[in-house]
């Protein structure tokens, strides 16, 4: 076979080629939300199909997904209950068991927990899916997918405080429900569609993504090559803040150190709620899921997303005479608080803003 391989040009060098997950990001720099951004992101994802993996069945993928800004105008048209102004409600994407009794128990758990946390339950939406799309192995473990909507309580100071409260709600539910539920996203700002799918299957499985009414100004996409965990619906990317390509080589130590520190954690913003979210790292997650768990806490406790990421993935800073002293000091200070999560080849990230 006469195969023409690309030669080195610009930033590309064929000697640096490695197999790994596919990560993509698309953004309209004007900040204008449109369906065109969704379409472009799905085109990027389709082009990353070779970076994902499938098993013996070519139609059972390791995972594919997309993170969007909450499509407010679209959600208003497809829900049968009234939504507050954008930012005044949060939407959770829930992977639930198909067994009706257990599913209803978990829905009641979410509703009771929302009430206990002074959040108003607005309603549920069944997410349309085409269950003929996933291959047999993925279809055998396919969840029932529903979106839950909650409104902010009167005592929440701002949207960031609301984000913290729905995080607390989600963590309480996850701890009580265990592996019976997965919540890929629960936010006022972002919404994640993902599953145990190949890249081309994602828009086929979720008709929402093909609806011209769904709009965003930014999107992260991911095509998964599962390397350190078995494929599953909940371990597809993107997570709540990141899409990750690579492996965290130090993950066991990172998770253990986080667990060891939990008794010392304090936060003025979380206050007494902090005890409700531990353990910070959800058991059974992949290295990327563990990373996202810790990043989420750092961001919601008041740090900017770039600040938190620089804490977790620091540059090589020791004995660097080509780095400004204040930058070295930043890394030296934070090295006393958190060990580096070593190994990611690339991390695309957003908090939806």
């Amino acid at each position: 076979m006469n195969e023409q391989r690309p030669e080195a040009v610009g930033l590309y060098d064929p000697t640096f080629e490695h197999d790994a997950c596919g990560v993509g990001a698309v953004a309209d720099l004007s900040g204008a939300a449109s369906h065109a951004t969704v379409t472009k992101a799905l085109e990027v994802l389709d082009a990353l199909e070779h970076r994902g993996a499938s098993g013996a069945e070519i139609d059972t993928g390791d995972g594919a997904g997309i993170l969007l800004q909450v499509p407010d105008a679209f959600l208003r048209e497809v829900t049968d209950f009234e939504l507050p102004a954008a930012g005044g409600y949060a939407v959770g994407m829930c992977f639930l068991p198909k067994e009706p009794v257990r599913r209803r128990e978990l829905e009641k758990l979410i509703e009771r927990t929302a009430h206990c946390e002074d959040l108003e339950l607005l309603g549920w939406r069944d997410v349309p899916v085409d269950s003929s799309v996933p291959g047999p192995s993925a279809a055998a473990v396919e969840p029932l997918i529903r979106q839950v909507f909650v409104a902010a309580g009167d005592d929440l100071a701002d949207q960031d405080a609301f984000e913290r409260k729905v995080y607390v709600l989600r963590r309480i539910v996850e701890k009580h429900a265990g592996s019976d539920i997965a919540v890929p996203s629960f936010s006022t700002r972002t919404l994640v569609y993902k599953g145990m799918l190949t890249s081309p299957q994602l828009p086929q499985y979720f008709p929402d993504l093909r609806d011209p009414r769904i709009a965003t100004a930014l999107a992260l996409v991911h095509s998964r090559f599962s390397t350190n965990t078995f494929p599953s619906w909940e371990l597809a990317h993107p997570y709540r803040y990141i899409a990750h390509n690579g492996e965290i080589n130090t993950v066991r130590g990172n998770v253990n150190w986080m667990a060891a520190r939990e008794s010392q954690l304090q936060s003025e913003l979380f206050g007494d709620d902090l005890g409700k979210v531990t353990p910070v790292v959800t058991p059974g997650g992949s290295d990327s899921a563990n990373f996202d768990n810790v990043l989420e806490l750092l961001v919601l406790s008041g740090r900017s997303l770039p600040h938190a990421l620089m804490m977790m993935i620091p540059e090589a800073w020791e004995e660097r005479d080509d780095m400004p002293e204040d930058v070295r000091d930043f890394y030296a200070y934070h090295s006393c608080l958190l060990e580096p999560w070593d190994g990611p080849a690339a991390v695309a990230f957003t908090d939806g803003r």
Side-chain angles (χ1 to χ4, degrees), residues 179-322:
S179 60
D180 286 351
I181 191 172
V183 186
S185 64
F186 205 151
S187 175
T188 66
R189 296 188 174 106
T190 57
L191 185 59
V192 172
Y193 288 83
K194 68 179 185 179
M196 195 172 160
L197 305 162
T198 65
S199 294
Q201 286 177 336
L202 186 73
Q204 298 169 11
Y205 182 74
F206 289 111
D208 281 3
L209 297 176
R210 306 194 305 269
D211 193 309
R213 296 172 296 176
I214 199 166
T216 186
L218 59 86
L220 299 185
V221 292
H222 189 275
S223 178
R224 188 174 188 228
F225 191 109
S226 181
T227 53
N228 63 6
T229 54
F230 284 109
S232 69
W233 284 79
E234 64 269 22
L235 293 182
H237 297 221
Y239 286 97
R240 298 169 192 96
Y241 285 92
I242 66 161
H244 172 216
N245 167 13
E247 289 193 35
I248 307 295
N249 301 321
T250 56
V251 63
R252 181 173 297 180
N254 294 134
V255 170
N256 288 341
W257 274 113
M258 279 304 303
R261 290 195 181 95
E262 284 178 358
S263 64
Q264 298 176 302
L265 294 178
Q266 297 181 34
S267 169
E268 291 183 3
L269 293 176
F270 275 102
D272 293 339
D273 279 348
L274 192 59
K276 300 175 184 178
V277 305
T278 55
V280 174
V281 174
T282 303
S286 64
D287 57 345
S288 304
N290 297 159
F291 183 97
D292 192 73
N293 287 158
V294 176
L295 179 64
E296 185 175 33
L297 180 67
L298 293 175
V299 171
L300 293 175
S301 61
R303 296 169 179 86
S304 71
L305 186 52
H307 182 160
L309 281 157
M310 290 168 71
M311 290 175 64
M312 296 185 70
I313 317 174
E315 298 175 77
W317 57 271
E318 294 180 279
E319 301 180 14
R320 287 276 300 272
D321 57 10
D322 61 336

Side-chain angles (χ1 to χ4, degrees), residues 89-122:
Y89 69 92
V91 53
M93 183 74 86
C94 299
F95 289 178
L96 297 158
K98 289 186 173 179
E99 197 280 311
V101 174
R102 181 57 175 155
R103 186 196 80 216
R104 190 58 192 144
E105 288 176 353
L106 294 174
E107 291 170 349
K108 288 292 187 182
L109 172 63
I110 292 171
E111 293 168 5
R112 286 197 308 270
T113 307
H115 177 74
C116 291
E117 296 301 318
D118 296 322
L119 298 172
E120 178 188 356
L121 181 85
L122 298 172

Side-chain angles (χ1 to χ4, degrees), residues 24-34 36-38 40-41 44 67 69 216-220 349-350 353:
V26 176
D28 185 323
L29 299 186
S30 72
S34 70
T37 300
V38 181
K40 290 175 183 176
V44 171
L67 179 152
Q69 290 176 316
T216 186
L218 59 86
L220 299 185
F349 56 91
T350 183
R353 287 178 287 193

Side-chain angles (χ1 to χ4, degrees), residues 148-184:
V148 60
F149 295 77
V150 297
D154 295 334
D155 60 339
L156 295 176
D158 52 30
Q159 192 172 354
D160 289 338
F162 190 13
E163 285 284 316
R164 279 189 292 276
K165 185 56 75 171
V166 293
Y167 167 63
V168 171
L169 163 61
R170 195 195 84 232
R171 289 298 297 126
I172 293 172
V173 169
E174 288 172 337
K175 288 193 290 184
H176 281 83
S179 60
D180 286 351
I181 191 172
V183 186

